[in-house]
Amino acid sequence: MTPAAPAYRRLSVEERRSQLLEAALGLFAHRAPEDVSLDDVAEAAGVSRPLVYRYFPGGKQQLYEAALRSAAEELQQCFDEPREGPLLDRLSRALDRYLAFVDQHDAGFSALLQGGSVVETSRTTAIVDGVRRAAALHILSHLGVTEPSSRLRMTVRMWITAVEAASLIWLDDDKEPPVDELRDWLVEQFVAVLSVTARRDPQTAALVQALAADG
Amino acid sequence: MTPAAPAYRRLSVEERRSQLLEAALGLFAHRAPEDVSLDDVAEAAGVSRPLVYRYFPGGKQQLYEAALRSAAEELQQCFDEPREGPLLDRLSRALDRYLAFVDQHDAGFSALLQGGSVVETSRTTAIVDGVRRAAALHILSHLGVTEPSSRLRMTVRMWITAVEAASLIWLDDDKEPPVDELRDWLVEQFVAVLSVTARRDPQTAALVQALAADG
């Protein structure tokens, strides 16, 4: 080993695993999963290819799924929001964190949600669906609803899908409009679709009244 | 051949191909693509397995993509609507046809849009995206818009995604609410999200005014 080589420190198994996942996420953020090789991950992490294989013997698919799981956890943390203050302010703050995540993960986020990737499987789809479900549960819980009517549940899930679509288009459109405007626009859409549902669902009508009285 | 065997008629290549695609679509409508074998398709069409392979030498993947293309064409025909009468009535009629398609294709529709299927590839994703793009173009063209602002385009695409999500949830929820109510609800959501966008986009504001004066 020459003195120019990176300083070597023994990492714990968990530290090493995190390091490799972080390197992988960094690469997946800028390229489609099919364009990232294990060699690239080894190089980005400054380790040997066999070491990457030792941690992820299932190869790229396993590494991708692990990276995805780690990103999904990070994404779910965006939804954590104290139950204090006006509801729409809480939604705005959660959206700010979510949009920062989208901004940061960029191409990887697109590849994942646009589907048809070679690394997409029923397992990766399940991970993404888990995040969607978690988002819906967070929203309903902040709204104080434990037993949502089917129309309210459907409205919340439709809005979450629309937010995803907006994120992808926003990335495609070189992150226009500015993130603050996008956030406000999405919050206003949330109120607008709830108001439409309120016309046919008493539970949603009560929520819309509460939102208007809130803040 | 016993007298009980099905009457045999020579079909043209195109007729035979259509017959096989129809049989395949019928099966894909009730089962996930991974649970449909070429044997099943042969049996449903009342032909031999080698004959299915002669038409689709690429096997199930090729058959699935051909069936998907044929379904996509059928779906795009749902959007054909004469440029007459109030705009929201036209949208309602197109939605009626779209929801009838969803109702009829059921499990196949879900499998396709939920992703992660073993038969999903970048080609199948491109076919589905093509339908989404066609839907957006139809809507913008009925609205009389040839150069949509990015906010208007984004709003239309978000609503289309929300309609897709609604269709999937509707299938999951045993087709509740009734299809007429779902259609009206979706149309009202369209107006509501356009109205939100109108606050930040003059082109959309003009459209919302025209919609209100319409009918």
Side-chain angles (χ1 to χ4, degrees), chain B residues 156-212:
Chain B
V156 169
R157 286 172 63 189
M158 286 169 73
W159 179 78
I160 289 170
T161 314
V163 169
E164 269 180 43
S167 316
L168 291 173
I169 300 169
W170 184 68
L171 289 176
D172 258 0
D173 283 358
D174 295 323
K175 304 185 180 171
E176 274 295 322
V179 69
D180 289 0
E181 186 185 333
L182 177 60
R183 176 205 59 213
D184 289 346
W185 187 17
L186 294 172
V187 171
E188 287 171 33
Q189 289 199 13
F190 181 68
V191 177
V193 292
L194 278 184
S195 303
V196 167
T197 301
R199 293 179 208 156
R200 16 177 83 76
D201 182 59
Q203 189 184 36
T204 309
L207 279 178
V208 169
Q209 277 210 315
L211 282 179

Side-chain angles (χ1 to χ4, degrees), chain A residues 114 116 120 122 125 151 153-155 158 161-162 165-166 173 177 181-182 185-186 188-189 192 196-197 199-200, chain B residues 114 116 120 122 125 151 153-155 158 161-162 165-166 173 177 181 185-186 188-189 192 196-197 199-200:
Chain A
Q114 278 171 340
E120 191 182 348
S122 54
T125 306
R151 282 165 184 75
R153 201 170 44 89
M154 199 156 162
T155 308
M158 285 168 73
T161 314
D173 283 359
E181 184 185 334
L182 176 61
W185 186 18
L186 294 172
E188 287 171 32
Q189 288 200 10
V196 167
T197 301
R199 293 178 209 157
R200 19 176 80 79
Chain B
Q114 278 171 341
E120 192 182 345
S122 54
T125 305
R151 282 165 184 77
R153 200 170 46 87
M154 198 157 164
T155 309
M158 286 169 73
T161 314
D173 283 358
E181 186 185 333
W185 187 17
L186 294 172
E188 287 171 33
Q189 289 199 13
V196 167
T197 301
R199 293 179 208 156
R200 16 177 83 76

Side-chain angles (χ1 to χ4, degrees), chain A residues 42-61:
Chain A
E43 197 190 321
V47 303
S48 68
R49 195 166 192 272
L51 191 138
V52 180
Y53 262 106
R54 200 174 330 137
Y55 278 79
F56 301 99
K60 191 161 95 172
Q61 186 67 35

Side-chain angles (χ1 to χ4, degrees), chain A residues 13-78:
Chain A
V13 169
E14 256 326 296
E15 285 174 326
R16 180 65 82 194
R17 204 183 127 84
S18 299
Q19 180 207 15
L20 296 178
L21 285 181
E22 208 169 301
L25 277 173
L27 294 171
F28 288 134
H30 301 293
R31 292 187 234 160
E34 41 270 58
D35 298 330
V36 175
S37 72
L38 284 188
D39 274 349
D40 297 332
V41 175
E43 197 190 321
V47 303
S48 68
R49 195 166 192 272
L51 191 138
V52 180
Y53 262 106
R54 200 174 330 137
Y55 278 79
F56 301 99
K60 191 161 95 172
Q61 186 67 35
Q62 192 194 1
L63 176 71
Y64 181 73
E65 288 184 22
L68 179 56
R69 239 174 247 118
S70 139
E73 276 165 31
E74 198 187 318
L75 186 48
Q76 296 206 26
Q77 283 167 13
C78 299

Side-chain angles (χ1 to χ4, degrees), chain A residues 1-8:
Chain A
M1 207 183 283
T2 70
Y8 229 69

